[in-house]
Structure formats: C-alpha cells, structure tokens
Amino acid sequence: MRKLILNILAFGILTSAFAQDNAIKDPYKKRPALGFALTFHDFETAEDLKNSSVSDVLDENQWSKTGRMAPGLAVSYFHGLTNHLDFMARIGGTFLSYPVPDKPVSSTQKMLLEMDANVNAKMLSDKYWVTPYLTAGVGASQWKGYWGAYVPLGWGLQVNLFDQAYFNLNVQYRVAVTTSTTANHLFYSFGFAGSLFDKKEPTVIPPPPPPADTDEDGIVDSLDTCPTVFGLAQFNGCPDGDGDGIPDKDDKCPEVKGVAKYGGCPIPDTDGDGINDEEDQCPNEKGMAKYSGCPAPDTDGDGVNDEVDKCPNVAGPGDNFGCPVLGIKSYEIVFKTGRSILLPRGKSILDTAATYLHSHPAVNVMIEGHTDNTGSDKINDLLSKKRADAAKAYLVSKGISEDRMTTKGYGSTSPIADNKTSEGRAINRRIEIRIQ
C-alpha cells in the first residue's frame, strides 16, 4: 500500500514536469493552484447500483438524499498539463463507519483518510467562464487499519470566478481495486481553488520599426505607386474610388463605375432609355428592354402602342384605349320622336356594334345618350338615359352579355355642335359607345 502512495506522488511529479515542457504552446494551461472542498461519501447508493440498475436508482430518487452521505473535508492541488488536461491531487478526511466487505458493519465512526491523483480532461480551456471535464485516476485509503486502493471515475465542472480563482464541482464513482478492504462508493466534492503564484507575463521584445507607409494603406512607400494616397495592393497602392477595377489614375470617370473599353466610364446610352448602346437595337430612339431598346410597336399608327391598344389594327384615340369611338347619331338610329323606341333603321346600325363586340370578347363598353337643348333638362336627362338603355337592350338581344355594358344619360350637357342651328342640334342628338 505504501508503494501505491509513492506511485501516486511520482505520478504527480511527472505530470507537473510534463506541464512545464508544454507551457509555451499551451497559453491557457492552469498554473499551480491550491483548493479546499466539502466532500460527501455515499456507500448505500453504490450498493443499490450494484444490486439493481441505474434507472431503478434514479426512479427511487434515493441517491440525492443527504442522509445517506458522510460529509468531510479535502485539500486539492491542481496543475495544468496542457490547455485541456489538468493534474489534480487530493487528500481528504471523513468521519464515518466504513462498510468493509465481508466484515460486520461497525457502529463506531473513525477517520477515513484518502489520497488520489487524477487527470481532468477538459472540454474547453480555462479561457472560458465555464469548463466541463471528465476525470480518472488512482487512489488509496485507510480506515481503522484497513488499507485499500480504488480507481476514481467521474466528471466535473469548473466555473471561473476571476483571474486564476474558480469554483470546482466534482462527482466520482470510486471502483474498489482491493475488494477485500475497499467498497465501491459515490463521492461528491464542492470547493474553491486559487493560484499559488502570480501570472508570469512573457518578456516582449519590441519589433523593429516598420518601413515608412505614408498613406497607411499597408504598402510601404518604396513599393507604393501612389505613396500619399490610400490605395489597394492590386493597383500597387493606388486607389479605385468607384470600384470598377480601373485605378483612378487611369480612369476617365473615377467616381462612376465603368468598363475598360470606355476608359473606366459606363457604356453609353445615347437615347437615355436605360438600355446601353451595346444592347440597344435602336440606340438613337428611346425604347423598352422588351423590344431590345426599340419603342413598343404601334401597328395602326394611332399613337397608342400595341401593348395597351385594345384595337391594335384599327386607329383610335388614346382616351378610348386606341379603339375608335362608336359614335352613332340619333337621327341615324331613328328613335321615335320624343321616345326611346328603336326603329328598324336604328337596329341595323347597332348590328355593326354587336358584330364588333362579338369579335372582341374582352372589351366592355359605356353607352352614352345625348340630346340637344330643346325641352327641359328633366325631360332630356330621362330621355337620353332611356335611349341608351334601349340601345343596350338591343345589343343584349344580339347575344352581348349585359355585364359588358353600362349606360348613362347626359341630356343636353355635352354638346359637340352648336345648338343654335338645326344641323348642330341634329348632331347633338346622338348615342356614343365608348370602350371602358
């Protein structure tokens, strides 16, 4: 047993020497530190684990009861081996009644002395505030003349409080090696540790002064084509203000992105239609991208391009979507005088409108009724509306959907000729059919 204790001490000395050899490549290696901890030994839960399963023990929730645990104190020594490996040695004492295997359980509590050496494998370095780790090692114990050996296995959590001081939580399952004198048990440790020495700051040798870099662009003056202007390495220290890949000293348009073909200026757009001349098939006439820079076509030449012209093959005004206004004079339709009844001649003229609407099923129309100024407004307003409704009813009878037509009577409010002459009054008595 004394040989085992000597081996534990030798293990600690060797790991400390190993740690010093790796100080340079492991800047976050822990410095030697001393800690104090409150410990707890639990033999009953370990026995439950042996006789049942982990899930059963967890379900019964006996493992967390402090009545099963014997408290004690321990002193710990920590020394970093690398950024992620720490050596931990611990000496502890606890007054308890030790369950020596195959021996009657003593009712007398005596001091249990333990000493173990462990290696803590940290998942993170001490650079971080919280560091979880796994631990494994070898240990020796003595209670009432019984010497024993065990292997501690477990996990821990280190919480950094401030520079080189930290809280340490450690949970172990200690596996008996000398089974005749040692019992398996759970071990808990809660404590604090702090560095034994001040942190040694490395000696810093100041570097030689850097070569002159007047514009501070990272290119020394001796290699900088533009040493007084902040620039880019790819242009030997000269700037490229517009980022077009052409240095300002060679760029005819240094503030606007361009192409080398035009000396750093953008591709021209002569007609200003937003399509550059290289892609514009009509570079001297404003157009649309859809037509490769040329204007939208206007097949019927009425000034309304085909994209919005509902009658692209027949000229018409823009306010009627490029379609001709179906203007029909009242006297041509021949309503009965002062009434809204269509005569046969009027029906034949409306047949032309029906034919047009059948051939253009997407077109909706407004049928407007107008009168001259003869008579009162009350009579003229009503008469103009009734005549518009009569025209609509006739078109419905010809198979035109009622939903495609709306009517409105304007009376004598919208003359297009002089009401002072009979000819003018005849022109003003009209029906107009407009595309909506």
Side-chain angles (χ1 to χ4, degrees):
M1 183 55 59
R2 292 185 180 86
K3 185 176 180 181
L4 176 61
I5 295 174
L6 291 174
N7 287 336
I8 292 174
L9 294 174
F11 178 74
I13 294 170
L14 289 174
T15 52
S16 296
F18 171 76
Q20 307 218 345
D21 290 340
N22 289 273
I24 296 176
K25 71 177 184 179
D26 295 313
Y28 294 102
K29 184 183 68 176
K30 186 183 275 84
R31 286 178 289 154
L34 188 65
F36 298 89
L38 179 64
T39 63
F40 295 90
H41 291 71
D42 182 356
F43 292 89
E44 292 185 47
T45 301
E47 185 66 20
D48 290 344
L49 290 171
K50 178 181 177 181
N51 296 327
S52 60
S53 65
V54 174
S55 59
D56 290 340
V57 171
L58 293 176
D59 290 341
E60 293 174 4
N61 203 28
Q62 296 291 324
W63 61 274
S64 61
K65 293 186 176 180
T66 56
R68 289 186 160 200
M69 303 177 187
L73 296 174
V75 178
S76 302
Y77 172 77
F78 298 88
H79 199 136
L81 306 178
T82 69
N83 282 346
H84 293 278
L85 293 177
D86 288 348
F87 169 73
M88 177 180 70
R90 178 163 39 209
I91 299 176
T94 306
F95 281 97
L96 52 74
S97 178
Y98 196 94
V100 180
D102 302 323
K103 301 291 182 181
V105 177
S106 173
S107 61
T108 304
Q109 292 190 344
K110 295 291 183 179
M111 174 69 76
L112 170 65
L113 294 175
E114 294 178 317
M115 180 173 67
D116 53 69
N118 304 269
V119 173
N120 298 340
K122 299 183 293 186
M123 298 177 186
L124 301 170
S125 73
D126 286 357
K127 173 183 177 181
Y128 297 92
W129 182 60
V130 177
T131 306
Y133 63 86
L134 300 176
T135 185
V138 293
S141 65
Q142 189 280 136
W143 181 82
K144 202 177 176 181
Y146 292 99
W147 292 84
Y150 59 88
V151 173
L153 302 171
W155 62 272
L157 189 70
Q158 173 184 303
V159 180
N160 294 329
L161 303 177
F162 46 87
D163 187 32
Q164 293 297 308
Y166 45 87
F167 168 76
N168 190 59
L169 163 66
N170 189 224
V171 179
Q172 295 180 347
Y173 185 85
R174 292 183 164 180
V175 182
V177 176
T178 54
T179 55
S180 61
T181 58
T182 311
N184 295 341
H185 62 279
L186 295 173
F187 175 82
Y188 307 93
S189 171
F190 309 87
F192 297 89
S195 175
L196 296 173
F197 308 104
D198 292 334
K199 186 175 181 179
K200 291 183 179 180
E201 299 295 337
T203 302
V204 178
I205 300 174
D213 180 12
T214 303
D215 54 15
E216 297 182 348
D217 59 2
I219 304 165
V220 298
D221 291 353
S222 60
L223 302 176
D224 198 330
T225 305
C226 303
T228 61
V229 183
F230 190 93
L232 304 172
Q234 68 186 95
F235 302 123
N236 296 323
C238 291
D240 176 18
D242 55 14
D244 59 4
I246 302 167
D248 291 352
K249 65 185 183 66
D250 301 325
D251 198 331
K252 294 180 180 178
C253 302
E255 297 181 354
V256 183
K257 283 189 176 183
V259 294
K261 180 178 179 180
Y262 298 99
C265 292
I267 301 172
D269 176 16
T270 303
D271 55 16
D273 60 2
I275 304 165
N276 67 62
D277 290 356
E278 291 186 353
E279 299 173 353
D280 198 332
Q281 292 185 8
C282 302
N284 298 309
E285 186 179 6
K286 283 190 176 182
M288 303 169 62
K290 181 177 181 180
Y291 298 104
S292 302
C294 292
D298 178 16
T299 304
D300 54 16
D302 58 3
V304 182
N305 70 60
D306 291 356
E307 290 190 337
V308 295
D309 196 331
K310 291 187 178 181
C311 302
N313 298 309
V314 182
D319 63 357
N320 201 42
F321 302 97
C323 291
V325 176
L326 302 180
I328 305 171
K329 298 180 178 62
S330 297
Y331 61 81
E332 290 179 331
I333 294 180
V334 190
F335 285 99
K336 284 190 175 182
T337 303
R339 301 182 67 184
S340 59
I341 299 173
L342 276 168
L343 295 178
R345 176 173 176 145
K347 294 178 182 179
S348 66
I349 296 174
L350 283 176
D351 287 341
T352 301
T355 301
Y356 173 82
L357 291 172
H358 275 300
S359 62
H360 296 80
V363 172
N364 296 328
V365 296
M366 165 73 80
I367 303 175
E368 301 175 351
H370 300 270
T371 68
D372 59 25
N373 64 351
T374 302
S376 68
D377 289 342
K378 182 177 180 180
I379 294 174
N380 286 335
D381 290 347
L382 181 61
L383 180 60
S384 64
K385 178 67 166 64
K386 285 184 175 182
R387 286 180 171 177
D389 289 340
K392 175 182 176 181
Y394 183 78
L395 292 173
V396 169
S397 72
K398 291 299 180 178
I400 307 302
S401 172
E402 185 175 357
D403 294 339
R404 297 174 59 190
M405 297 177 287
T406 55
T407 62
K408 188 170 183 179
Y410 288 88
S412 61
T413 59
S414 301
I416 59 174
D418 190 351
N419 275 315
K420 293 180 179 181
T421 66
S422 60
E423 293 82 0
R425 288 192 293 275
I427 293 173
N428 288 334
R429 295 192 299 273
R430 69 194 188 279
I431 292 292
E432 288 186 353
I433 302 177
R434 292 184 177 274
I435 294 174
Q436 291 183 301

